[in-house]
Amino acid sequence: MDSGRLTALWARREILQTLVRRDLRVRYARSVLGYLWTIIDPLAMALIYFVIFAVIFKRPDAGHHPYFLFLLVGLLAWQWFSSSVTETSRALLSEAKLVRSTSLPRELWVIRVVIAKGVEYLLSLPILVAFAAFYVISGDASLNWRLVLLPLGLVLQFLVQVGVGLLLAPLTVLVEDTQRVVRIAMRMAFYSTPIIYSLDTVPENLRVVLWFNPMSGVLELYRAGLFDEPLVPQPIVTSVVLALVFLVVGSTVFKRLERSVLKEI
């Protein structure tokens, strides 16, 4: 993304904040439980996977101990990633009239989705804090200095999602099948992301492949301060590189296809 577009986006930051607040209000306006759904969904999924692996198959060693906390970290982060990718892919279509009729930088419509979903993710973190505190008090877990890496994980995930969103948003407008491809890709990506298993349980030849999933490094950063297992630097470095690649490629594609998108919508 060139400096001119970054400057334009920064100048519209108050509008961006307004759009994010609007998205959050619309999301919870007609919901009885509202914000609680942000917590209920990953909690329910964590419980299901815990029962399957730890109770039925008796394989809690699929991830770090305590396994439920391990699952919760991964599922909360995945919820942000999955919802962001899915909704940024149709960000221009869902706001077609505003995209076409306003002079706002069109990247803003993608970034606003990632930020809104990021706010939901941050609002879900208290439940993670509560479970972490429970396990620490019970002696099943211990915190360490690597908790300071969590903000780095947040920034890295944000950059990855913005880059992917900038790539997918114009493609979805021009190629209708993109949304179907995204749905299939997200199902596959879930199981190729170390959410229900840790990288050290994967065969070595396949482990290297999973390093190229940008969420592998992100989850490594999120879990580093909650578990005593050694930090694996390779997926983190790979995720940083991939985040920059997605940003450059996504920005380039978005800029080149912008005129075609405006004609189409």
Side-chain angles (χ1 to χ4, degrees):
M1 195 178 300
D2 58 53
S3 58
R5 290 191 170 231
L6 285 173
T7 302
L9 285 169
W10 178 251
R12 307 299 198 285
R13 61 188 181 278
E14 292 185 2
I15 296 176
L16 180 60
Q17 292 173 5
T18 300
L19 291 172
V20 169
R21 287 196 294 267
R22 183 204 65 174
D23 284 359
L24 293 172
R25 282 198 300 267
V26 169
R27 175 173 173 78
Y28 298 121
R30 298 184 180 180
S31 173
V32 176
L33 295 178
Y35 151 74
L36 290 178
W37 283 117
T38 305
I39 299 172
I40 293 171
D41 187 30
L43 265 180
M45 294 305 298
L47 179 61
I48 290 170
Y49 286 117
F50 180 82
V51 170
I52 292 173
F53 287 97
V55 179
I56 298 177
F57 290 109
K58 302 185 185 302
R59 284 295 309 277
D61 57 340
H64 305 332
H65 179 77
Y67 186 54
F68 187 84
L69 183 62
F70 175 88
L71 286 171
L72 194 57
V73 174
L75 288 166
L76 287 173
W78 177 258
Q79 181 173 259
W80 181 20
F81 181 78
S82 177
S83 59
S84 288
V85 171
T86 301
E87 295 200 22
T88 53
S89 67
R90 55 174 182 261
L92 299 178
L93 281 175
S94 62
E95 301 284 357
K97 291 182 179 179
L98 290 174
V99 172
R100 186 174 57 247
S101 61
T102 63
S103 59
L104 295 173
R106 273 84 194 190
E107 293 91 344
L108 181 145
W109 302 103
V110 171
I111 296 172
R112 129 248 174 202
V113 172
V114 180
I115 293 178
K117 297 301 177 184
V119 171
E120 292 178 14
Y121 173 65
L122 292 176
L123 290 175
S124 71
L125 289 183
I127 194 66
L128 178 62
V129 173
F131 274 97
F134 169 78
Y135 283 117
V136 168
I137 293 171
S138 65
D140 290 329
S142 60
L143 306 181
N144 61 71
W145 68 268
R146 294 179 300 188
L147 278 172
V148 299
L149 297 176
L150 193 147
L152 178 58
L154 290 170
V155 173
L156 187 56
Q157 185 170 353
F158 173 80
L159 294 177
V160 169
Q161 290 166 181
V162 169
V164 173
L166 291 174
L167 177 63
L168 293 177
L171 292 178
T172 302
V173 174
L174 301 175
V175 183
E176 186 178 347
D177 291 340
T178 302
Q179 290 190 58
R180 295 183 177 90
V181 173
V182 168
R183 283 197 294 269
I184 295 172
M186 294 308 294
R187 293 191 196 108
M188 297 172 63
F190 177 84
Y191 292 103
S192 64
T193 302
I195 298 171
I196 59 178
Y197 58 85
S198 60
L199 285 173
D200 58 0
T201 62
V202 178
E204 191 170 351
N205 57 340
L206 183 58
R207 194 179 309 161
V208 176
V209 176
L210 295 184
W211 289 349
F212 288 88
N213 179 339
M215 284 300 292
S216 294
V218 170
L219 291 181
E220 192 72 20
L221 291 169
Y222 286 158
R223 288 168 172 154
L226 299 173
F227 302 94
D228 293 329
E229 279 71 12
L231 188 68
V232 184
Q234 293 92 333
I236 297 173
V237 173
T238 306
S239 294
V240 171
V241 173
L242 287 174
L244 296 176
V245 169
F246 277 125
L247 275 176
V248 172
V249 174
S251 300
T252 302
V253 170
F254 193 96
K255 183 177 180 180
R256 291 187 177 180
L257 295 181
E258 187 172 358
R259 288 189 178 181
S260 300
V261 167
L262 292 176
K263 292 177 181 178
E264 188 69 26
I265 61 176

